[in-house]
Amino acid sequence: MWALSVCWVLLGTLGAGSAQLMFKKIHNVSFDVCNTTEIIIPCIVTNLQRFSREEMFLNWKIDGKEFFTYDGYENRYFKNNTFLSVDLLDILNLTAGVASIKMSLKEAVPGNYTCIVVERNREGEHVIELRYGTPFWFQPVESFLVIGAAILAVALFLLQVGYVAVKFEMSLLKKISFGLVALIVMIIVVPGAALLVKEGFTLASQFGLGLVVLPTILLVPPLFFVFQSVFEKPPLFAIILIILKALGYLIAVAGLATSLPECPPKQTSVVIAGLGIIDIVAAIAFIYMVVIVKNPVCIAVP
Ligand SMILES: *[C@@H]1O[C@H](CO)[C@@H](O)[C@H](O)[C@H]1NC(C)=O
Ligand SMILES: *[C@@H]1O[C@H](CO)[C@@H](O)[C@H](O)[C@H]1NC(C)=O
Ligand SMILES: *[C@@H]1O[C@H](CO)[C@@H](O)[C@H](O)[C@H]1NC(C)=O
Ligand SMILES: *[C@@H]1O[C@H](CO)[C@@H](O)[C@H](O)[C@H]1NC(C)=O
Ligand SMILES: *[C@@H]1O[C@H](CO)[C@@H](O)[C@H](O)[C@H]1NC(C)=O
């Protein structure tokens, strides 16, 4: 009996008597342009004992400076006026140990946040580092690939036109028209690219993506007319290439449509794949034209 009560006292010392609150071990969280609504800084006590709001007191500091407190007994908040959006994430769950806070993206500053929780005579503190991640909607490498693929499509088109113009007969009107098409596409793509690489998930970056992807359609029908300068009547293979190019465009647009509202965008690879198909088809078309020139016999075959 005596031994049992000693045990009981010892257990008590380890638990409540140690006066130490423990926390879920989350040491860092990141946020970026996609956290448009609110930022959550987690702080979860794992060994609350009294489960009573009245006996709790919270104190949040950033880099050592207090900016938010909550007094459970008086049910009262204090907020520094540079952090007016800060609030408890879930006050109903405070007594379950959820001392996490939320705040708007605008007021969030990267730094070391200290969460201090007091429960009657027990106390504990936990530091969570809030880091700023990427400032971009489309990652730089994704923007680079999308813009690069669109510009490459224009370059390949000009290469086809140039080659055919030299090797075959092409009317001046056609040359000017093809040149204009390439020029128009570039005039739309270049400002679009400038908008796409801007920081943030904004209307500007979304608009930019549209401007880079959409005008590539202008390069699809002219392929038919380029082929027309090579053949009287473009053979089936040429027609298939044109259809494939149109298909690449449709894939790119499907990727665009799904990416536009998303942050982070999950279908960037579809956009890149679609534009990639346009480029590959254009390259194959060019090689095909070169092969035709080298083997003029083919031309005679209707
Ligand atoms: C960030 O937190 C994760 C898990 O919470 C941990 O594995 C990682 O080591 C931490 N990184 C740093 C630099 O503290
Ligand atoms: C930011 O948002 C992502 C998902 O969109 C989420 O996983 C992350 O926890 C958020 N960061 C913070 C600090 O709230
Ligand atoms: C609010 O925070 C800023 C910067 O951390 C500090 O300079 C200012 O004194 C704080 N204001 C109050 C009322 O605590
Ligand atoms: C309390 O938190 C748990 C998970 O931690 C959640 O499932 C539950 O919905 C929360 N309760 C309230 C009232 O928000
Ligand atoms: C947070 O603290 C760690 C360790 O003390 C330090 O390496 C890191 O730079 C701090 N982070 C910020 C954003 O101040």
Side-chain angles (χ1 to χ4, degrees):
M1 191 63 201
W2 185 81
L4 198 74
S5 65
V6 167
C7 254
W8 190 246
V9 169
L10 272 176
L11 272 177
T13 321
L14 284 174
S18 69
Q20 195 64 40
L21 292 179
M22 311 292 271
F23 293 85
K24 204 166 156 183
K25 290 186 172 49
I26 303 170
H27 298 293
N28 55 68
V29 282
S30 322
F31 70 109
D32 57 33
V33 288
C34 293
N35 297 79
T36 45
T37 49
E38 58 192 20
I39 304 292
I40 294 166
I41 305 177
C43 174
I44 296 160
V45 186
T46 52
N47 64 342
L48 277 186
Q49 282 195 328
R50 315 210 57 95
F51 308 110
S52 150
R53 195 199 75 202
E54 286 77 8
E55 303 197 25
M56 290 182 75
F57 185 84
L58 303 187
N59 186 344
W60 275 87
K61 294 179 178 174
I62 172 166
D63 296 331
K65 276 181 268 164
E66 180 176 294
F67 68 94
F68 178 76
T69 62
Y70 174 70
D71 179 345
Y73 185 72
E74 307 211 354
N75 191 18
R76 210 170 52 192
Y77 299 93
F78 156 79
K79 294 178 197 182
N80 182 319
N81 34 19
T82 49
F83 290 95
L84 286 179
S85 68
V86 175
D87 205 348
L88 283 175
L89 174 65
D90 183 1
I91 189 159
L92 295 178
N93 255 342
L94 177 62
T95 53
V98 181
S100 310
I101 49 170
K102 57 185 179 185
M103 67 173 84
S104 73
L105 180 71
K106 261 191 282 177
E107 289 183 357
V109 270
N112 285 305
Y113 287 73
T114 311
C115 160
I116 300 166
V117 181
V118 180
E119 186 195 36
R120 195 181 268 181
N121 63 334
R122 303 165 79 220
E123 182 176 341
E125 66 173 67
H126 183 61
V127 178
I128 307 108
E129 184 179 356
L130 179 65
R131 295 189 188 140
Y132 191 60
T134 170
F136 298 104
W137 173 49
F138 263 55
Q139 295 312 300
V141 60
E142 295 168 333
S143 300
F144 175 80
L145 288 175
V146 169
I147 296 165
I151 291 176
L152 184 60
V154 177
L156 286 169
F157 175 69
L158 285 176
L159 190 66
Q160 291 163 351
V161 171
Y163 186 77
V164 172
V166 169
K167 298 284 176 180
F168 301 89
E169 264 175 48
M170 189 187 273
S171 70
L172 184 64
L173 181 66
K174 252 186 160 179
K175 286 179 196 163
I176 292 174
S177 309
F178 289 148
L180 269 180
V181 166
L183 187 66
I184 291 170
V185 174
M186 286 308 283
I187 285 176
I188 305 172
V189 166
V190 170
L195 291 176
L196 177 58
V197 299
K198 268 188 151 68
E199 293 185 356
F201 174 47
T202 59
L203 210 57
S205 50
Q206 291 168 296
F207 197 57
L209 181 65
L211 290 184
V212 173
V213 174
L214 293 176
T216 50
I217 185 66
L218 296 178
L219 302 173
V220 179
L223 183 57
F224 178 81
F225 298 104
V226 177
F227 273 128
Q228 245 189 358
S229 298
V230 182
F231 311 97
E232 291 278 287
K233 182 173 171 292
L236 185 61
F237 185 63
I239 304 293
I240 289 174
L241 285 179
I242 294 164
I243 292 171
L244 283 179
K245 205 171 175 185
L247 205 64
Y249 181 76
L250 287 181
I251 291 170
V253 170
L256 168 74
T258 34
S259 294
L260 276 184
E262 285 182 338
C263 189
K266 294 180 198 74
Q267 308 299 336
T268 49
S269 52
V270 178
V271 180
I272 295 165
L275 293 176
I277 291 172
I278 293 180
D279 288 343
I280 292 168
V281 171
I284 293 173
F286 175 67
I287 293 166
Y288 181 51
M289 288 166 190
V290 173
V291 170
I292 295 298
V293 171
K294 294 264 160 62
N295 308 283
V297 181
C298 303
I299 300 175
V301 181

